[in-house]
Each structure stands twice: as C-alpha cells, then as structure tokens.
Amino acid sequence: MLNLYDCELSENCYKVRLFLSILGQEHQLIPVELFPGQEHQQARFRAINPLAKVPVLDDNGFIVRDSQAILVYLACKYAPKGKWYPLEDASRIASVQIWLSFANDLNETVSAARWVQVFGKGGNMAPQCRKARQLLTVIDEHLWFAEKNGHAWLCPGEHPTIADLACFPHIMLSDEAGISLLDYPALRRWTDRVKGINGFTAMPGIFSVENN
C-alpha cells in the first residue's frame, strides 16, 4: 500500500494526488496539518522527512520526498513504461527535467505569493509576483509555439508527461496569489487540456471542467 503524507491545500501534494488518481493507483492519505497545527515540524514527522516538508510517499517502507521526485518514481514504477516519463528518449527526458525545474520556480514565486495572500504566511509578495508574471509569460509563449507546431503539451509528443502535472497546480491557483491568467491565453487552453485527462481530480480552488 502506498501512503502519502499530504496537506489538502498544498499545490505540491495535490500534483501527487492528481497523478495517483490518473494512474488509478490505490493509496492511503495521511493528513499533515501545516497551519496552524505545524505537524510537519514535530519530531514524529521529521523522523520521516528531516526537511519538514510535504508531500512524502511511503511505498512499503521506501520513502520518497519532494513532489517532483515522487512524480518521477510513480511514473517509472507504476505507469506504463515511458508513457509519463520518456525513459528511452534523451531529448524528451531533458525536456521533462527542464519543466520539473520550472515547476520549482513556480513554487517559489506563484505559490509563495499564494501562501502569503491566503494563509498569512509572512513575506513580501511583490518580488514573487513580479518574477511569477515573468515565468507565466515564458510558459505561455512556449505553449503558444507548441500549439503552432501541433503539440498540446509542455514536452513534444502526443501524450502529456509528469512535467504538465508538476506545473499545473501552481498555475491554476495563481488567482489566489492575485495573478490573473487572463493575459495568458495559451496557458488557459493548456489547463483545460490537463483537466480533460482521464482520471483528473479536483482540489479546493481547482475544479473539473464540468464544474467550470
């Protein structure tokens, strides 16, 4: 049984829940209250992840921390070979890794601003929002050119990859950081495509297509 240490409102936790749902992989959620409970800082959780961060995946005693690493692990172990992580194509592997790194940048900007705005987590939103808009422009332009070349996803190919799932929640919740997607039409079309993936599941602030 897969156990996922999870916070319902976390973008990084959601992307793992989303992938597990898409895969139809049985799992158990173990809630970790970040605010106000600070359960991630307690010794019991730090024994699992000394960095005191969620999500953490426990696969029969094998611990994987960091949401991007968990996506890679699930794609390699539980998804059809190469479908979500292109194991035999060096250029596509590099492309996926580029966008996984980009997801980390989104987390440090868009999501950091969201946590200040929504949860009162201390910090100055202005630098994060400024950098976030630059990142959204980059990914919007990338997707626009991809569409012109007949590609629907962040990485070339007919099927989405874990790169799409890694970036998706940070972008979808940008409104909660005070950053509208109205100026990013290619991004909006891409988010609709992600919502159309079989097995898609919602979270607070992210709704399925039929609920839009």
Side-chain angles (χ1 to χ4, degrees), residues 127-146:
Q128 285 99 336
C129 289
R130 183 167 56 251
K131 178 63 176 177
R133 291 186 176 92
Q134 293 172 354
L135 294 174
L136 293 179
T137 298
V138 168
I139 194 170
D140 184 73
E141 290 179 352
H142 170 81
L143 286 164
W144 188 87
F145 282 109

Side-chain angles (χ1 to χ4, degrees), residues 74-91:
L74 292 173
C76 292
K77 184 169 182 180
Y78 292 103
K81 185 178 181 181
K83 186 172 184 180
W84 286 92
Y85 190 71
L87 295 169
E88 298 179 353
D89 186 329
S91 62

Side-chain angles (χ1 to χ4, degrees), residues 57-69:
L57 184 74
D58 181 349
D59 186 357
N60 293 307
F62 181 71
I63 302 297
V64 189
R65 60 178 184 246
D66 180 82
S67 58
Q68 269 65 272

Side-chain angles (χ1 to χ4, degrees), residues 5 10 18 34 40 44 54 61 64 67 74 94 104 118 136 138-139 142 146 148 158 177 180 185 188 193-195 207:
Y5 291 85
S10 162
L18 174 59
L34 302 186
H40 60 303
R44 181 174 59 180
V54 290
V64 189
S67 58
L74 292 173
N104 286 331
V118 176
L136 293 179
V138 168
I139 194 170
H142 170 81
K148 294 302 177 183
E158 296 182 358
S180 173
R188 297 200 308 274
R193 292 194 290 272
V194 174
K195 289 181 179 182
F207 308 102

Side-chain angles (χ1 to χ4, degrees), residues 5-8 30-42 45 54 115:
Y5 291 85
D6 172 72
C7 173
E8 183 183 27
I30 302 175
V32 179
E33 185 182 90
L34 302 186
F35 302 103
Q38 299 285 311
E39 290 181 355
H40 60 303
Q41 297 290 356
Q42 296 177 11
F45 184 76
V54 290
W115 282 80

Side-chain angles (χ1 to χ4, degrees), residues 24 53 57 62 68 71 76 78 80 119 125 135 147 169 174-175 183:
K53 294 181 179 180
L57 184 74
F62 181 71
Q68 269 65 272
L71 292 179
C76 292
Y78 292 103
F119 303 103
M125 286 178 55
L135 294 174
E147 289 175 343
S174 61
D175 280 346
D183 295 329

